[in-house]
Amino acid sequence: TVLQGIVTYIEQDTIMLTEPKNGQSTDQEGLRIRTTFPRFQYDYTVTVEKANTKDGPSVTQTYLITKYFTEDGWFDAEGFEEDVTKQVQQFEAKKFNKSL
């Protein structure tokens, strides 16, 4: 139950936290990858942001999940990884989404 509480209330929608890249100083932050997948929807939203701030600059992209699955139900992991890697590179290039 403690682990469930941590996941529910602290990590929330975070699926991955990274360390700073090699060669970066220790005061540099890693990245946080968050996702949103509403029930009964086909849209899967991935957000890339600095690890220690949820209100800072971010890159958010919504993917249609049917793009990554075949008719037989096989998941295209390579295709999905390629798209998310492009999103991370966009964040690293500081091409953030506009704030609303």
Side-chain angles (χ1 to χ4, degrees), residues 35-46 61-81 83-84:
T35 62
T36 306
F37 190 30
R39 194 172 177 185
F40 306 118
Q41 299 294 318
Y42 293 104
D43 296 331
Y44 186 72
T45 303
V46 178
Q61 179 70 41
T62 301
Y63 301 98
L64 194 60
I65 62 165
T66 55
K67 176 181 177 184
Y68 304 106
F69 288 91
T70 66
E71 290 180 8
D72 299 327
W74 292 98
F75 178 59
D76 177 18
E78 293 85 15
F80 183 73
E81 181 179 351
D83 286 345
V84 173

Side-chain angles (χ1 to χ4, degrees), residues 4-5 8-9 23 26-27 37 44 48-49 52 60 62 66 71 73 76 82 86 93 99:
Q4 184 64 36
T8 302
Y9 296 106
T26 55
D27 63 336
F37 190 30
Y44 186 72
V48 179
E49 59 196 5
N52 296 329
T60 301
T62 301
T66 55
E71 290 180 8
D76 177 18
E82 182 179 312
K86 288 178 187 175
S99 298

